Each structure stands twice: as structure tokens, then as C-alpha cells.
């Protein structure tokens, strides 16, 4: 600024100052013009739907719900860590049957609309389930679990439906596909950051049941999206066609799954996720309840998770800039090894070695969360890319949902096995003596998927593709099929952290 003032006296820096102000104005107003452009080209209701569902319902609501569920199971239902680990995994079942929701939205219109009624249905189911949990006192554990599962189903239905809308618009407007991907990712990431940051504060102020009550608002917004969403009406639909369409889709998926180039990497992805044991509940109880632990408050827990979301964004950025052109097998090897090493940070924390090194708990766990989330995203991204390339032409959306359901089954198996491990080692609400051993066993098992790494194709991430008879290359151009596969990845990559 001093240099500019001196130049201004000589009359030579007026243009520089104006240029700087113009550049700042472009930076500030660029995103606004970008969103206005998307609203003009695609219709404002689509942009509203993306921001509402990806950003507010899944990003903000999903992160609030995660923290509220953890405190609800611990403080209200008072279950053991192993029990909480196993029971909350059940709520992920609706995500395992995502192909069912995908087929329903594709082949079964309601009152002549394929998307709008499913948005409304998802919103109603979510509002009712959250109200029951928040209002009813002394709700039985299994009834609470039922309503949580219904809420999870509501979010899964809304997710599949907005994914389908994103896919349709990306095919119809291919030049805007990257812009839509950016909007989806930014909405989800910003929503998650805000949700995790607010979660601890809200749990402290209104309790976990109060947070469930607040979650009725994001679900109600899903119904609003259904009411205002712009969609063409399908008159005179013959419901007699539904059975045949289900049969055709099922046959196509079965034919594809029998291909070794499909089932082998799918098996690896399941094993990789299932053997990365999830013992989060044991660590969460130790963070918040153990006298030998950090005894973090609710606000601190929410802030730590929000910082972890930043690590996830860094991982996605690093993958895009550096690792996206590497062969599948090589990147899976190194990310799996790093994933196991990152777990050792939890071991250092549980053994309190960080204090002996002079590192306070708060600082160490923030670093731990950022590193773990970043490496977890690096590990997940090539699997998402591989999944998108295993989808045959004509059933890309449904088959992608099928493969993602296999991955979700891996996540659920991981949670169940982690719950069994905590139970066997007798890690309870008050006893954490063997928690370090659970962490060590988890870290060792994270290396075990490398023994089946031969299931992953050696091909480059950009050139790998299925055989022509599976992809149906006689019916469409390579560009159209590649565009469709990229499109499915774009619509789902934003939600990798919701698990």
C-alpha cells in the first residue's frame, strides 16, 4: 500500500488500484454470477434442490445427526460402546438397498412424475421420524433405532433422486457437467463444515433430542423441493410396463456382475472397507467419559469433526491435482498402507504418548483428525473412480447404486466387526483398559486387504474400461458412455463423507 501511495503521487498507479478493485469485485461476485448462470440454464429449482439436499439436508443435517446420534446413544439410551457400534450400523441398511430406490424413481412415476413425489415422500418420512425421537420421552431403544432407520431411508431416497436429476441435466447439458459437480461438492462440503461446527454447541444447549427436533427443518426442506421442482409430466403411463422394466434391469445387472472384470474389484472394495474395522464408538466414549482421556466437551467434539472435514477436502484436492492419473493398483497399495499408518495416531493418543512428547490432547487430535480424513478420502477416491468405470451403458445409474450398496455393506460390516472387537476386549462405558489393543488390531487388519490386491486391475485410471460386450459399445459412441460414467461419479463423489 505504501508503494501504491507513492506511485499515486506521481500519477502512475491509478490504473493499478482500479484493476485491483475490479479483480476483488470479480472474486466476490464470481460465485454469484456462476450460480445465476446455472439457474438460468438449468432452471432455478434444480439449483435450489442441489443446495437444499446436498448442502442442507445431507451436509448440514447429516453432520448434526451424526453427533446427535452418538450423544443420544451414550447419554439417553446409555448403551455400551460395542452395542452402539452395532446398532447404529443397522441404520445404514437403507443405503445398502439404494438400487431399489434408484429403480423406483426411474421406472415408477407417481401421478405422472418421476422425481417430485419422491422428494416429498423423503421429506415426510424424515420429519415424522425426527419428531417421534425428539418428542417421545423414555423411547425404547429399538423403537428409537427404527425411527433412525426410517430417517436414514428418507435421506437415501432424497439422495438417489437428486443424483438422478444431476445425471439427467449433465447428459442434457454436457458443457455444464463440471459446474454441477462443483456446485454439488461445495454445497455438501460447506454444509458439513457448518453442521459439525454447530453440532457440539447445539447438543450442549438443547441436548441430543433437541437436535433431532431441529433436524425436522432440513427434511421439511426436501418436501419443499418436491413441491417446486420443475419436471415434465408423464401422461398415460402404463404400470404394466413396470414389471418388465424391473426384470430387464435385473438381468442386465446380473449379466454384468458375472464378468470377472467387475466382481473382482467389487470384492476387493468390500474386503478393503469391511476389514478397516470401525471402533469409533469406543474412541468417542473414551474422548468424552474416561477420566484418563481428554474429557472433551460437546463443543470441542463438534469443532474437531469440522476440522476433519477440511482434511477431507484437502484429500480430494490432492487427488485431483496429483494422483488421478496413477494406475489403480499402485494407488490402492500406497493409500492402504498410509491408512494403516494414520491409525497409529489413535494408538499414540490412547497410550497418552502425546503428553510425554509435550503435545496437548486438543492439538494432537486435531492433527489426527485432519490426517485421517485426508488419507481416508485419498483411499476412497480411486475406488469411486473405479466404481464409475464398472458401470455398463444403459443402466449406469442403477448399477452405480448397486456397486455403492456393496460398498455400504462393507461399511456396515466394518461397524459390526468393530462392535464385536470392542465387546470381546471388554471395552465398556467405564472400562477402557484394552482400547489400545482394539486400536492396534484395527491398524494391523487395515494392512490385510493388500493380500487380495491382485483383484484390482492394473490399468490406468483414465484408460481402463470394461470389455465391449459388457459396455454395449455397439449402440452408442465412446464419448457418450464416458460422459455418462463421469456423470455418475460427479453426482455421488460429494457424499463420500456421509458414511
Amino acid at each position: 500500500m505504501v508503494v501504491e501511495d507513492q506511485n499515486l503521487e506521481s500519477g502512475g498507479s491509478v490504473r493499478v488500484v482500479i484493476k485491483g478493485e475490479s479483480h476483488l469485485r470479480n472474486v466476490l461476485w464470481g460465485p454469484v454470477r456462476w450460480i445465476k448462470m446455472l439457474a438460468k440454464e438449468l432452471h432455478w429449482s434444480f439449483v435450489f434442490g442441489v443446495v437444499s439436499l446436498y448442502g442442507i439436508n445431507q451436509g448440514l443435517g447429516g453432520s448434526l445427526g451424526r453427533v446427535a446420534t452418538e450423544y443420544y446413544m451414550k447419554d439417553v439410551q446409555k448403551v455400551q460402546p460395542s452395542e452402539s457400534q452395532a446398532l447404529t450400523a443397522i441404520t445404514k441398511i437403507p443405503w445398502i438397498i439404494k438400487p431399489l430406490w434408484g429403480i423406483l424413481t426411474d421406472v415408477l412415476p407417481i401421478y405422472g412424475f418421476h422425481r417430485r413425489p419422491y422428494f416429498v415422500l423423503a421429506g415426510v418420512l424424515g420429519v415424522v421420524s425426527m419428531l417421534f425421537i425428539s418428542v417421545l420421552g423414555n423411547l425404547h431403544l429399538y423403537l428409537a433405532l427404527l425411527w433412525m432407520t426410517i430417517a436414514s431411508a428418507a435421506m437415501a431416497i432424497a439422495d438417489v433422486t437428486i443424483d438422478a436429476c444431476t445425471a439427467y441435466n449433465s447428459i442434457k447439458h454436457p458443457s455444464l457437467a463440471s459446474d454441477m459437480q462443483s456446485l454439488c461438492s461445495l454445497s455438501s462440503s460447506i454444509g458439513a463444515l457448518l453442521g459439525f461446527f454447530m453440532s457440539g454447541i447445539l447438543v450442549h444447549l438443547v441436548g441430543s433430542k433437541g437436535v433431532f427436533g431441529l433436524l425436522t427443518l432440513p427434511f421439511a426442506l426436501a418436501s419443499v423441493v418436491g413441491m417446486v421442482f420443475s419436471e415434465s409430466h408423464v401422461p398415460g403411463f402404463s404400470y404394466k410396463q413396470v414389471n418388465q422394466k424391473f426384470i430387464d434391469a435385473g438381468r442386465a445387472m446380473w449379466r454384468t456382475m458375472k464378468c470377472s472384470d467387475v466382481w473382482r474389484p467389487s470384492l476387493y472394495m468390500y474386503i478393503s472397507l469391511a476389514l478397516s474395522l470401525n471402533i469409533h464408538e469406543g474412541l468417542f466414549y473414551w474422548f468424552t467419559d474416561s477420566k484418563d482421556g481428554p474429557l472433551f466437551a460437546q463443543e470441542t467434539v463438534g469443532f474437531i469433526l469440522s476440522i476433519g472435514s477440511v482434511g477431507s477436502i484437502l484429500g480430494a484436492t490432492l487427488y485431483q491435482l496429483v494422483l488421478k492419473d496413477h494406475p489403480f493398483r499402485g494407488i490402492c497399495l500406497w493409500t492402504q498402507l498410509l491408512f494403516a499408518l494414520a491409525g497409529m495416531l489413535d494408538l499414540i493418543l490412547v497410550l497418552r504418548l502425546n503428553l510425554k512428547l509435550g503435545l496437548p490432547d486438543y492439538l494432537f487430535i486435531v492433527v489426527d483428525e485432519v490426517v485421517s480424513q485426508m488419507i481416508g478420502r485419498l483411499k476412497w477416491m480411486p475406488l469411486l473412480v473405479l466404481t464409475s468405470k464398472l458401470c455398463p451403458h444403459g443402466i449406469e445409474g442403477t448399477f452405480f447404486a448397486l456397486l455403492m450398496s456393496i460398498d455400504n455393506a462393507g461399511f456396515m460390516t466394518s461397524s459390526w466387526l468393530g462392535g464385536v472387537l470392542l465387546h470381546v476386549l471388554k471395552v465398556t462405558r467405564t472400562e477402557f483398559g484394552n482400547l489400545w489393543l482394539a486400536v492396534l488390531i484395527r491398524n494391523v487388519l487395515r494392512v490385510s486387504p493388500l493380500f487380495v490386491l491382485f483383484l484390482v486391475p492394473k490399468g490406468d485410471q483414465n484408460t481402463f474400461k470394461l470389455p465391449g460386450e459388457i459396455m454395449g459399445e455397439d449402440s452408442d459412441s465412446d464419448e457418450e458412455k464416458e460422459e455418462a460414467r463421469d456423470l455418475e461419479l460427479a453426482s455421488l463423489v460429494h457424499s463420500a463423507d456421509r458414511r
Side-chain angles (χ1 to χ4, degrees):
M1 292 297 295
V2 174
V3 174
E4 289 184 356
D5 288 341
Q6 293 174 349
N7 290 339
L8 184 61
E9 292 176 359
S10 63
S13 72
V14 175
R15 181 181 61 83
V16 176
V17 174
I18 295 175
K19 181 179 179 180
E21 292 177 352
S22 176
H23 176 70
L24 178 62
R25 191 180 301 112
N26 289 333
V27 171
L28 294 175
W29 288 100
V32 176
R33 284 197 291 267
W34 168 57
I35 293 175
K36 284 184 176 180
M37 179 272 294
L38 288 177
K40 180 180 179 181
E41 296 292 333
L42 304 174
H43 199 269
W44 66 269
S45 64
F46 171 75
V47 175
F48 175 69
V50 167
V51 174
S52 299
L53 296 173
Y54 287 153
I56 299 177
N57 186 263
Q58 292 183 24
L60 180 67
S63 53
L64 284 175
R66 172 184 164 182
V67 177
T69 299
E70 291 174 345
Y71 277 103
Y72 179 79
M73 299 297 281
K74 181 173 75 76
D75 298 334
V76 178
Q77 295 294 344
K78 299 186 182 302
V79 299
Q80 298 294 342
S82 58
E83 188 179 5
S84 175
Q85 188 83 50
L87 292 176
T88 53
I90 295 176
T91 64
K92 305 303 180 184
I93 291 178
W95 293 88
I96 296 178
I97 58 174
K98 279 183 68 174
L100 174 61
W101 315 129
I103 292 177
L104 285 175
T105 60
D106 284 339
V107 307
L108 186 62
I110 300 177
Y111 295 111
F113 294 101
H114 281 278
R115 315 300 181 196
R116 296 179 63 181
Y118 291 97
F119 286 134
V120 175
L121 174 63
V124 171
L125 289 176
V127 169
V128 172
S129 59
M130 291 295 97
L131 281 177
F132 267 93
I133 297 175
S134 62
V135 172
L136 294 181
N138 299 321
L139 188 63
H140 192 276
L141 173 61
Y142 293 112
L143 285 177
L145 187 68
L146 173 63
W147 289 116
M148 288 180 185
T149 304
I150 293 175
S152 179
M155 190 170 290
I157 293 171
D159 173 75
V160 169
T161 309
I162 194 63
D163 283 345
C165 297
T166 306
Y168 172 80
N169 280 325
S170 294
I171 292 175
K172 189 176 180 180
H173 304 276
S175 62
L176 298 178
S178 59
D179 294 290
M180 280 183 271
Q181 178 183 1
S182 298
L183 180 63
C184 296
S185 299
L186 285 174
S187 298
S188 178
S189 299
I190 294 173
L193 279 172
L194 293 175
F196 280 128
F197 182 78
M198 297 167 53
S199 60
I201 299 173
L202 290 175
V203 169
H204 177 74
L205 293 177
V206 300
S208 56
K209 295 179 67 174
V211 174
F212 284 130
L214 293 175
L215 288 177
T216 58
L217 299 178
F219 279 114
L221 192 59
S223 291
V224 173
V225 171
M227 295 175 186
V228 302
F229 197 80
S230 176
E231 181 186 4
S232 300
H233 185 263
V234 182
F237 176 79
S238 175
Y239 286 91
K240 295 180 181 179
Q241 303 172 2
V242 174
N243 288 338
Q244 188 59 45
K245 289 186 176 181
F246 270 104
I247 293 172
D248 292 341
R251 287 175 177 172
M253 287 191 291
W254 175 245
R255 183 175 63 252
T256 305
M257 282 302 298
K258 290 192 299 182
C259 175
S260 62
D261 289 332
V262 176
W263 70 259
R264 287 165 60 93
S266 298
L267 178 60
Y268 171 81
M269 287 186 280
Y270 173 80
I271 293 174
S272 174
L273 295 170
L275 294 183
S276 299
L277 300 191
N278 181 2
I279 56 171
H280 173 76
E281 296 303 321
L283 290 170
F284 173 72
Y285 278 56
W286 181 77
F287 289 152
T288 55
D289 277 0
S290 175
K291 294 181 181 179
D292 296 327
L295 290 176
F296 288 139
Q298 290 101 330
E299 300 92 331
T300 305
V301 171
F303 179 74
I304 289 171
L305 291 173
S306 67
I307 296 298
S309 298
V310 175
S312 180
I313 296 173
L314 290 175
T317 303
L318 180 62
Y319 174 84
Q320 177 69 21
L321 295 177
V322 179
L323 301 175
K324 67 177 183 178
D325 297 324
H326 288 258
F328 281 117
R329 191 175 294 183
I331 193 172
C332 286
L333 168 65
W334 290 107
T335 54
Q336 193 70 40
L337 285 173
L338 289 174
F339 193 53
L341 290 174
M344 292 299 177
L345 294 175
D346 289 333
L347 186 62
I348 292 174
L349 186 65
V350 172
L351 293 176
R352 317 305 282 142
L353 298 179
N354 61 298
L355 297 180
K356 295 180 180 180
L357 296 173
L359 299 174
D361 289 328
Y362 184 80
L363 175 62
F364 190 83
I365 197 172
V366 165
V367 174
D368 181 4
E369 190 70 18
V370 171
V371 172
S372 298
Q373 290 291 332
M374 181 178 69
I375 295 176
R377 175 54 70 95
L378 288 175
K379 174 180 176 291
W380 178 241
M381 288 296 290
L383 298 182
L384 272 177
V385 174
L386 179 58
T387 299
S388 71
K389 291 180 175 292
L390 298 179
C391 300
H393 179 65
I395 55 170
E396 295 94 342
T398 303
F399 199 78
F400 197 104
L402 172 64
L403 295 177
M404 291 300 294
S405 69
I406 295 174
D407 293 345
N408 284 317
F411 281 114
M412 189 171 70
T413 304
S414 170
S415 294
W416 280 344
L417 292 177
V420 171
L421 179 63
L422 293 174
H423 178 73
V424 170
L425 295 178
K426 297 183 177 358
V427 177
T428 66
R429 296 174 57 90
T430 57
E431 179 57 50
F432 301 95
N434 289 329
L435 181 60
W436 71 271
L437 184 56
V439 174
L440 181 61
I441 293 174
R442 180 203 65 180
N443 296 341
V444 172
L445 286 177
R446 283 182 174 182
V447 181
S448 58
L450 297 180
F451 292 103
V452 292
L453 192 61
F454 62 88
L455 296 172
V456 178
K458 294 182 178 179
D460 182 83
Q461 295 186 60
N462 297 317
T463 59
F464 173 81
K465 65 178 182 178
L466 292 177
E469 61 271 17
I470 296 296
M471 296 305 296
E473 294 189 349
D474 56 336
S475 58
D476 288 278
S477 67
D478 288 341
E479 291 79 5
E480 289 172 339
K481 291 190 291 294
E482 185 64 27
E483 177 184 292
R485 289 192 295 272
D486 290 343
L487 165 63
E488 293 300 327
L489 174 63
S491 65
L492 287 168
V493 69
H494 73 279
S495 60
D497 287 329
R498 66 177 170 232
R499 308 284 191 273

